[in-house]
Amino acid sequence: AGFASLMSGVGLLSWVPRAEAATISKTFYITGGNKTMPDGQSVYFKGYSDSSADLDIPATPIICQEGDTLQITVVNLLAVTHNFVIGGLKAGDPPLAGTGDVSSGESKTITYTVPTGKDGSYLFYDNKTSYNVFLGLHGGLAIMPAGKSDELYPGSPKFKKQLFWIFNDIDPALNGAVQRGVAVPASFTPRYFTINGLTSLPPGAAGHGDPTRDALVDPRSQLSGYVGDRTLVRMLNAGMCSHAMHVHANHMEWLTDRGSVRPSIWKKDTIQVRNNLGKIDAIFPFEAPPDAYPPVTSGHFPMHLHDEMSQTAGGGLYQFGSMTEIEFL
């Protein structure tokens, strides 16, 4: 029971701590294909997928605990060489735990035993080029403290639920160049901004309310709970831009920044998720919104990014970007 797929059930990472270490086995297939953006443009992507017939972006997340052994097999179904690394986990030489090069048609397996003290949130990705991660070759790894189900690290504030928010920025010119096998542009111009592979689709837009297409109601992304609930959000930035993540209704408890535990826990409604594989962990407490008048204990609130470009698609179409919903039940 070492795995949790964010697309199963309600979309939350589920975890039951164990007294003994276990081997967590997973196979990813490197696949490629086109997806249609909110403005109708077809864009090429690659992904670490659960089967040869899928194109999963981001990859199905992995959850484990300290002491577990990760046994991850990567099968490359594309025509060019790729790889798989886990950012922040060291494995001697090469410095990051990973497969090394995986040629076309080849498969390789990484076997890595998680040492004590590595609890936290990690992005796994392809670093064969500087841009493969932008194309969709990325996913989240959650490492729990041994024997714990409600702490990010020993002694951290407690939570009841946990999920990933993985942000990405998409330049269709870059993706198209990779698809055609020509030189990629010298500079990147992001045109689409996603959270867990989707964009928000406001009322009136095609696909609004469809959890497989709309980030507002995607169970992998949506914060949903009752007053008294507490959700840990593991935020990873696979994209090229830094973002200012802003939640309504409550302030979040900001626990870590780029993998380091913060010396003090600040309560913030806006937190920067840096580029260059930045990451933060924060808890959203479902408390009665303090500024609401008249007072409320239920309702719907947004999470969006405080940089205007990230709320658009193709340079326009406002509210078609990295946005999801906070639902008080």
Side-chain angles (χ1 to χ4, degrees), residues 20-35:
E20 300 84 17
T23 296
I24 308 300
S25 298
K26 175 67 179 176
T27 298
F28 289 120
Y29 298 85
I30 298 179
T31 62
N34 285 62
K35 290 182 177 289

Side-chain angles (χ1 to χ4, degrees), residues 99-306:
T99 59
D101 286 354
V102 186
S103 301
S104 175
E106 186 181 17
S107 66
K108 283 191 176 180
T109 299
I110 170 180
T111 301
Y112 181 84
T113 300
V114 179
T116 301
K118 288 296 183 179
D119 37 65
S121 305
Y122 298 87
L123 188 77
F124 57 80
Y125 58 99
D126 180 324
N127 72 347
K128 182 65 179 175
T129 70
S130 61
Y131 51 78
N132 278 343
V133 63
F134 305 151
L135 292 171
L137 286 165
H138 59 257
L141 166 66
I143 300 177
M144 297 292 294
K148 299 292 185 181
S149 64
D150 58 358
E151 294 182 357
L152 175 65
Y153 51 82
S156 79
K158 290 183 167 39
F159 55 85
K160 292 184 178 180
K161 307 174 185 178
Q162 56 177 311
L163 50 73
F164 277 106
W165 282 347
I166 301 181
F167 299 101
N168 192 26
D169 315 321
I170 299 153
D171 179 357
L174 164 65
N175 294 38
V178 172
Q179 182 181 24
R180 296 189 304 273
V182 300
V184 301
S187 60
F188 300 156
T189 304
R191 306 291 285 174
Y192 307 101
F193 302 86
T194 59
I195 174 172
N196 290 334
L198 299 178
T199 67
S200 62
L201 299 174
H208 171 71
D210 180 349
T212 67
R213 299 174 60 187
D214 186 354
L216 289 171
V217 293
D218 175 11
R220 300 173 305 166
S221 309
Q222 185 185 51
L223 288 180
S224 183
Y226 296 91
V227 170
D229 286 345
R230 293 169 57 80
T231 299
L232 171 69
V233 185
R234 300 173 181 268
M235 285 168 261
L236 306 174
N237 190 352
M240 58 193 84
C241 302
S242 295
H243 296 297
M245 184 281 305
H246 178 223
V247 294
H248 288 233
N250 288 154
H251 287 55
M252 298 187 84
E253 299 167 9
W254 185 12
L255 306 183
T256 74
D257 187 1
R258 289 168 287 183
S260 297
V261 175
R262 289 176 46 78
S264 59
I265 298 171
W266 291 358
K267 293 186 176 182
K268 299 276 288 181
D269 62 349
T270 304
I271 308 174
Q272 186 178 39
V273 188
R274 301 176 190 272
N275 62 357
N276 294 321
L277 309 177
K279 57 184 180 179
I280 60 177
D281 298 288
I283 290 174
F284 183 88
F286 281 86
E287 300 169 352
D291 297 328
Y293 185 82
V296 297
T297 56
S298 64
H300 299 260
F301 304 86
M303 186 292 294
H304 62 111
L305 303 181
H306 260 195

